[in-house]
């Protein structure tokens, strides 16, 4: 089928057009690309060929210049791209600039400035509380319903989908052990998350209000925040995650612009506690997203977490991240935290799916409590689009290799 004629029902049709960075076998030069079906349009070359005033933003080896340009530019470029791939008069010019997806190499699409990870799913937080504090009357910590809990991670170990993940080593100590030991993690886990990519920066000392979320956030992607549960359990008191998290965070090669997800916007779950004014979204436009995530291990689907159940929205997370005056930088990335639904088949981590190893998963190639070397974890997702269509999110995949 010709590349412009995307089959009906394809989640990467012209109503989607996610951005990435690619190179070809003919040239190692990295270029901004836009996905259309099973092809990639060289966006910079298209902009130059069609005389776009935004060619200088697209003819780059990274998305950062486009991210920094701001919402007006984002909307203008998206409208132009939509016209380029749907108006027949452009086909002769653009046909040579479309590359089969299977024949290109995809790269990390933007330079990550800072990385923050949150803990925004009430289902996940309750499950974790029940696992680690089984005798507590309330599984949630006292602050959980009052602010989006998060921590600052390591931007330098954010990797693109398809990158192998080396099993981390570190200290671990079981409650029954007399002293800690050093070695490879034996409880390597996944965390199914959604990552939000900041475009427009903000000055230090100027908090970002809930209403300004869409002025600063360009788009989103799937994110797997790999976790070494045994290393984390020993090290995190009192300062929180460190080596158990910082070894790798995988993101999709495709960033879906927020403008492609208008039909997927939904209200978050009902608030059960009064919120302080900077987090109170009762009068704001709906800031949740109806994203349907699927997690597979070695090709076997093990969970389907719904993002619509997330208690804290990305707008609230951004407001909280900056309320102390912390600045935003172009390329900042923040993760939603593990996405888990209310049902057992909707849990977003092996910690929950196996109840910390008590209930192993049955896979075609054997049981799993945590990940084994050679396991491949793949996350995919889609969201409702216009007229009953689906908007696909680029998958994020990684294979565990021995350290």
């Amino acid at each position: 089928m010709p590349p412009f004629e995307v089959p009906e029902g394809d989640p990467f049709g012209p109503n989607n057009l996610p951005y990435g960075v690619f190179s070809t076998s003919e040239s190692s030069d990295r270029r901004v690309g836009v996905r259309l079906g099973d092809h990639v349009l060289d966006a910079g070359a298209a902009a130059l060929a069609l005389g776009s005033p935004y060619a200088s933003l697209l003819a780059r080896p990274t998305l950062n210049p486009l991210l920094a340009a701001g919402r007006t530019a984002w909307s203008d470029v998206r409208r132009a791209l939509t016209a380029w791939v749907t108006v027949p008069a452009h086909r002769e010019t653009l046909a040579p600039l479309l590359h089969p997806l299977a024949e290109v190499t995809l790269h990390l699409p933007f330079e990550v400035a800072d990385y923050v990870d949150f803990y925004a799913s009430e289902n996940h937080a309750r499950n974790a509380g029940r696992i680690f504090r089984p005798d507590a009357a309330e599984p949630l910590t006292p602050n959980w319903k009052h602010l989006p809990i998060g921590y600052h991670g390591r931007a330098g170990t954010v990797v693109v989908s398809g990158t192998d993940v080396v099993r981390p080593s570190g200290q671990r100590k079981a409650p029954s052990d007399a002293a800690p030991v050093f070695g490879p993690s034996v409880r390597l886990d996944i965390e199914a998350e959604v990552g939000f990519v900041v475009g427009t920066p903000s000055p230090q000392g100027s908090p970002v209000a809930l209403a300004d979320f869409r002025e600063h956030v360009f788009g989103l992607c799937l994110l797997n925040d790999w976790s070494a549960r045994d290393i984390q359990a020993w090290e995190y008191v009192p300062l929180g995650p460190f080596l158990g998290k910082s070894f790798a965070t995988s993101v999709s090669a495709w960033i879906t612009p927020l403008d492609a997800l208008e039909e997927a916007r939904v209200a978050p779950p009902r608030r059960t506690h009064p919120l302080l004014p900077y987090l109170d979204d009762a009068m704001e436009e709906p800031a949740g997203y109806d994203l349907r995530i699927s997690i597979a291990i070695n090709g076997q689907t093990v969970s389907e977490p719904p993002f619509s159940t997330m208690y804290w929205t990305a707008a609230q997370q951004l407001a909280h991240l900056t309320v102390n005056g912390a600045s935003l930088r172009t390329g900042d990335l923040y993760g939603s935290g593990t996405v888990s639904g209310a049902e057992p088949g909707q849990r977003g981590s092996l910690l929950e799916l196996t109840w910390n190893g008590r209930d192993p998963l049955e896979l075609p190639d054997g049981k799993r409590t945590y990940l084994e070397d050679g396991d491949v974890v793949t996350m995919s997702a889609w969201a409702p689009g216009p007229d009953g269509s689906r908007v696909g999110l680029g998958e994020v995949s990684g294979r565990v290799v021995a350290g």
Side-chain angles (χ1 to χ4, degrees):
M1 180 174 288
F4 291 103
E5 298 178 15
V6 179
E8 185 176 354
D10 190 306
F12 292 97
N15 61 325
N16 188 347
L17 302 180
Y19 295 86
V21 168
F22 75 101
S23 60
T24 66
S25 57
E26 290 78 24
S27 172
S28 61
D29 292 344
R30 299 187 180 190
R31 322 168 201 178
V32 171
V34 174
R35 182 170 176 178
L36 180 66
D38 59 0
H39 284 73
V40 181
L41 173 67
D42 186 332
L48 290 169
L50 295 173
S52 168
Y54 292 106
S56 61
L57 299 179
L58 296 173
R60 299 293 187 92
T62 175
L63 286 176
N64 288 62
L66 176 61
L67 299 180
R71 171 142 295 281
T72 298
W74 304 341
S75 298
D76 288 350
V77 169
R78 179 170 170 77
R79 281 193 295 269
L81 285 164
T82 302
W84 296 348
V85 301
T86 56
V87 176
H90 297 311
R91 292 189 174 183
E92 184 176 353
T93 300
L94 297 185
L97 306 179
L98 281 158
H99 302 268
L101 182 61
E103 297 178 10
V104 304
T105 299
L106 298 175
H107 305 279
L108 190 65
F110 62 100
E111 296 174 4
V112 182
D114 285 314
Y115 170 55
V116 173
D117 190 41
F118 283 98
Y119 187 53
S121 164
E122 182 173 356
N123 296 308
H124 172 67
R126 287 189 177 277
N127 287 337
R130 293 186 181 106
I131 290 170
F132 294 126
R133 299 181 298 277
D135 297 326
E138 169 56 61
L140 296 180
T141 54
N143 60 349
W144 202 91
K145 286 294 184 79
H146 296 278
L147 57 85
I149 296 171
Y151 72 92
H152 280 271
R154 188 176 182 88
T157 50
V158 176
V159 297
V160 72
S161 175
T163 304
D164 286 347
V165 174
V166 178
R167 182 179 296 274
S169 290
Q171 290 191 30
R172 59 180 190 271
K173 180 184 177 299
S176 58
D177 292 342
V181 298
F182 178 86
S185 170
V186 296
R187 294 193 170 192
L188 184 58
D189 200 357
I190 61 174
E191 290 191 348
E193 303 192 24
V194 174
F196 292 84
V197 181
V198 171
T200 309
S202 66
Q204 190 168 357
S206 299
V208 174
L210 287 171
D212 293 330
F213 164 72
R214 293 169 61 82
E215 295 301 313
H216 291 274
V217 174
F218 173 79
L220 55 78
C221 63
L222 290 177
L223 182 152
N224 183 357
D225 196 31
W226 305 84
S227 300
R229 300 294 184 188
D230 44 357
I231 296 173
Q232 182 181 356
W234 173 235
E235 72 177 3
Y236 85 104
V237 180
L239 293 182
F242 188 39
L243 301 184
K245 290 283 199 174
S246 62
F247 59 96
T249 300
S250 297
V251 295
S252 171
W254 298 105
I255 308 301
T256 302
L258 293 185
D259 287 347
L261 296 167
E262 284 298 302
E263 302 294 328
R265 294 170 68 182
V266 294
R270 183 180 65 87
R271 311 302 185 189
T272 57
H273 290 58
L275 297 177
L276 292 172
Y278 79 97
L279 292 172
D280 187 355
D281 59 356
M283 302 303 292
E284 300 291 336
E285 59 184 10
Y289 285 94
D290 182 10
L291 311 177
R292 324 288 177 87
I293 302 171
S294 180
I295 307 169
I297 299 177
N298 301 334
Q300 176 73 29
T301 299
V302 297
S303 182
E304 295 183 321
F307 191 73
S308 59
T309 63
M310 300 296 275
Y311 190 88
W312 296 105
T313 69
Q316 289 171 317
Q317 290 168 340
L318 191 71
H320 187 64
L321 191 161
T322 60
V323 74
N324 68 341
S327 59
L328 295 177
R329 294 195 290 168
T330 296
D332 279 353
L333 171 69
Y334 63 99
S336 63
T338 305
V339 183
S340 290
E343 303 300 322
Q346 297 177 332
R347 295 168 178 169
S349 66
L350 289 173
L351 172 73
E352 299 164 88
L353 287 167
T354 72
W355 213 250
N356 201 22
R358 185 193 68 187
D359 307 319
L361 291 179
E362 296 281 355
L363 298 180
D365 56 349
K367 295 183 177 182
R368 292 292 188 283
T369 54
Y370 287 96
L371 296 173
E372 298 181 1
D373 292 346
D375 283 346
V376 176
V377 180
T378 303
M379 299 176 187
S380 56
W382 63 273
D387 303 320
S389 64
R390 292 187 176 189
V391 174
L393 273 64
E395 71 174 31
V396 58
S397 184
R399 178 171 62 104
V400 178
V401 298

